[in-house]
Amino acid sequence: MSKSPFKKALLIAAALATTTSALAAGKLEIFSWWAGDEGPALEALVKLYKEKYPSVTVDNATVSGGAGTNAKAVLKTRMLGGTPPDSFQAHAGQELIGTWVVAGRMEDLSSLFKSEGWTKAFPADVVKLISSKGGIWSVPVNVHRSNVMWYNPAKLKAWGVTVPKTWPEFINTCATLKKKGVAAPLVVGENWTQQHLWENVMIGTLGAQGWENLWAGKTKFTDPKVVGAFTTFGKVMDCANKDASGLSWQQASDRIISGQSAFNIMGDWAAGYYTTTKKLAPGQGFGWATAPGTSKTFVMLADSFGLPKGAKNRAEAINWLKLLGSKQGQDAFNPLKGSIAARTDSDLSKYNTYSKSAATDWKNSKIVGSMAHGAVAPESFMSAFGAVIDQFVATRNSAGAAAAAQALATRAGIGQ
């Protein structure tokens, strides 16, 4: 039976309304601390998203500084105020779970992981890191390595020193370099970079299992071995520059390139900085080794994005998360960031020499989580630990610092 002209008009109008709705301009606000030198990697993801969803306006909201410290302060205000971004960056693990998941403010992404096949695409250890109480709470976009020591190959050759493999060797090399006129053989920056150094001294001194025991509550911070590691940390800091508090991690990295300092302990986002921003060739313009005492260990952290409850643009945010977890998205982002893909099926031909070596170590090393970057410690511990480091750097009181750290651990419920 043919339709009347009136019914045809209604059907056409309905079809047009549906089409218009499908093409209507949407919005997406993503919140992170990736700006400046870390910006190009995020911009590559945003570009891919816009190609897939050209009608969506993307608000790339960034708050830079302090390895996310500044961004997390702004995020807290927004989350508690009921105006969350559509999706936000957080270090995978306890940083997100111990703060916003336990507060009931994040959506469980288990169904998304199932539909996208991510439980098979991501290593089981990574999925475990982002899971709690039966839920999966964020999408990891990368894996970074914390325990890397950076140096300038040409300068080490000129100084006649080799890369130290243990912290006692490092301290001896430091003394040698000072005799050769290198005032600060080690360069560090603002407080969080010193916490980053601290965790690498601890792991290099206690060993991977000793580090895990610390966060499981099996070893107390007041244990003599931990107190001794604090003392070693103090000797390492004696090798460092006196203007640390005024330097960003990028400025500290610059001193390796210039030859002002010999060594810097920093995560492998430094590789992204050296290659993407400074245009240096891995192995020539800069060199790397595992932090002293950690040769068989991969200290990991992962950047991830979650979906807060009450996100205004939930559908757009879910599409963003799908891109982040995809092979295409991870292989666009990570070569620029200096990290490796969290997925196991990445195209390594897209990665440089450093990243290929990190990917190999990822598969063959003992994996432990970073404290300084939210993998093993809750935010309540991390936010207060900076003051412990500041006090220790000022006083070199190992026993006092260990006692203060144990008090923080107890309050944060670590090991309970």
Side-chain angles (χ1 to χ4, degrees), residues 304-384:
S304 68
F305 280 76
L307 180 63
K309 291 180 178 179
K312 289 184 178 180
N313 305 292
R314 185 177 183 276
E316 288 80 5
I318 289 175
N319 286 335
W320 168 252
L321 295 176
K322 288 180 178 179
L323 174 63
L324 295 185
S326 71
K327 180 178 178 181
Q328 181 188 23
Q330 301 218 344
D331 283 345
F333 175 84
N334 287 295
L336 296 174
K337 186 66 165 61
S339 46
I340 59 176
R343 295 178 63 105
T344 58
D345 58 353
S346 61
D347 182 358
L348 288 180
S349 68
K350 298 179 182 292
Y351 293 74
N352 64 31
T353 304
Y354 168 76
S355 295
K356 289 176 180 176
S357 73
T360 298
D361 287 350
W362 172 245
K363 295 177 182 179
N364 299 311
S365 302
K366 167 67 175 176
I367 298 171
V368 299
S370 164
M371 179 283 297
H373 303 282
V376 296
E379 181 68 22
S380 58
F381 180 93
M382 293 168 55
S383 61

Side-chain angles (χ1 to χ4, degrees), residues 209-367:
Q209 189 59 56
W211 176 251
E212 290 186 330
N213 289 345
L214 194 61
W215 301 106
K218 295 178 181 178
T219 299
K220 302 295 184 183
F221 281 86
T222 49
D223 185 283
K225 292 181 180 178
V226 180
V227 175
F230 263 105
T231 299
T232 299
F233 173 62
K235 293 178 180 178
V236 171
M237 283 295 293
D238 289 341
C239 299
N241 48 305
K242 304 303 181 185
D243 60 345
S245 62
L247 295 185
S248 67
W249 72 264
Q250 294 98 326
Q251 290 171 320
S253 297
D254 288 341
R255 293 192 182 182
I256 299 300
I257 300 171
S258 68
Q260 188 173 343
S261 291
F263 303 110
N264 177 229
I265 307 295
M266 186 47 55
D268 53 13
W269 45 92
Y273 176 67
Y274 286 140
T275 57
T276 303
T277 302
K278 294 299 183 179
K279 310 301 181 185
L280 298 175
Q284 299 175 29
F286 65 96
W288 65 89
T290 53
T294 69
S295 63
K296 300 297 183 181
T297 304
F298 193 112
V299 185
M300 73 151 289
L301 59 137
D303 293 300
S304 68
F305 280 76
L307 180 63
K309 291 180 178 179
K312 289 184 178 180
N313 305 292
R314 185 177 183 276
E316 288 80 5
I318 289 175
N319 286 335
W320 168 252
L321 295 176
K322 288 180 178 179
L323 174 63
L324 295 185
S326 71
K327 180 178 178 181
Q328 181 188 23
Q330 301 218 344
D331 283 345
F333 175 84
N334 287 295
L336 296 174
K337 186 66 165 61
S339 46
I340 59 176
R343 295 178 63 105
T344 58
D345 58 353
S346 61
D347 182 358
L348 288 180
S349 68
K350 298 179 182 292
Y351 293 74
N352 64 31
T353 304
Y354 168 76
S355 295
K356 289 176 180 176
S357 73
T360 298
D361 287 350
W362 172 245
K363 295 177 182 179
N364 299 311
S365 302
K366 167 67 175 176
I367 298 171

Side-chain angles (χ1 to χ4, degrees), residues 49-57:
Y49 186 88
K50 288 180 176 179
E51 289 174 357
K52 290 179 177 291
Y53 309 101
S55 64
V56 177
T57 300

Side-chain angles (χ1 to χ4, degrees), residues 33-307:
W33 56 81
W34 287 326
D37 297 306
E38 294 183 292
L42 179 59
E43 289 164 8
L45 284 174
V46 172
K47 180 181 178 182
L48 273 180
Y49 186 88
K50 288 180 176 179
E51 289 174 357
K52 290 179 177 291
Y53 309 101
S55 64
V56 177
T57 300
V58 179
D59 179 5
N60 183 5
T62 58
V63 179
S64 62
T69 302
N70 299 337
K72 283 178 261 186
V74 175
L75 177 66
K76 182 177 181 179
T77 299
R78 294 190 57 180
M79 291 289 281
L80 295 179
T83 58
D86 297 318
S87 184
F88 63 86
Q89 177 191 3
H91 288 130
Q94 285 301 309
E95 180 177 296
L96 178 69
I97 293 170
T99 305
W100 300 119
V101 173
V102 297
R105 294 179 181 268
M106 303 300 296
E107 288 200 33
D108 181 2
L109 302 177
S110 296
S111 60
L112 185 61
F113 269 71
K114 183 178 180 180
S115 65
E116 297 299 305
W118 288 342
T119 53
K120 296 180 179 179
F122 295 121
D125 285 345
V126 173
V127 176
K128 181 180 178 181
L129 179 71
I130 56 180
S131 300
S132 176
K133 297 182 179 179
I136 305 176
W137 302 101
S138 63
V139 179
V141 68
N142 65 1
V143 168
H144 269 304
R145 189 175 199 174
S146 157
N147 59 316
V148 190
M149 182 165 66
W150 307 94
Y151 59 90
N152 184 325
K155 294 303 295 185
L156 290 198
K157 183 177 180 180
W159 288 321
V161 298
T162 57
V163 177
K165 296 181 179 180
T166 67
W167 285 114
E169 284 184 21
F170 181 93
I171 293 166
N172 289 336
T173 301
C174 169
T176 299
L177 287 167
K178 284 187 174 183
K179 290 177 182 178
K180 292 178 179 287
V182 183
L186 172 69
V187 60
V188 296
E190 57 190 310
N191 179 278
W192 76 263
T193 75
Q194 296 167 44
Q195 294 183 56
H196 184 107
L197 173 63
W198 173 87
E199 80 175 8
N200 279 284
V201 173
M202 282 286 157
I203 296 168
T205 305
L206 301 176
Q209 189 59 56
W211 176 251
E212 290 186 330
N213 289 345
L214 194 61
W215 301 106
K218 295 178 181 178
T219 299
K220 302 295 184 183
F221 281 86
T222 49
D223 185 283
K225 292 181 180 178
V226 180
V227 175
F230 263 105
T231 299
T232 299
F233 173 62
K235 293 178 180 178
V236 171
M237 283 295 293
D238 289 341
C239 299
N241 48 305
K242 304 303 181 185
D243 60 345
S245 62
L247 295 185
S248 67
W249 72 264
Q250 294 98 326
Q251 290 171 320
S253 297
D254 288 341
R255 293 192 182 182
I256 299 300
I257 300 171
S258 68
Q260 188 173 343
S261 291
F263 303 110
N264 177 229
I265 307 295
M266 186 47 55
D268 53 13
W269 45 92
Y273 176 67
Y274 286 140
T275 57
T276 303
T277 302
K278 294 299 183 179
K279 310 301 181 185
L280 298 175
Q284 299 175 29
F286 65 96
W288 65 89
T290 53
T294 69
S295 63
K296 300 297 183 181
T297 304
F298 193 112
V299 185
M300 73 151 289
L301 59 137
D303 293 300
S304 68
F305 280 76
L307 180 63

Side-chain angles (χ1 to χ4, degrees), residues 191-192 194-195 230 233 371 380-397 400-402 404-405 408 411:
N191 179 278
W192 76 263
Q194 296 167 44
Q195 294 183 56
F230 263 105
F233 173 62
M371 179 283 297
S380 58
F381 180 93
M382 293 168 55
S383 61
F385 188 66
V388 175
I389 292 297
D390 278 342
Q391 183 68 16
F392 174 76
V393 170
T395 65
R396 296 296 198 272
N397 182 348
L408 289 180
R411 287 199 294 272

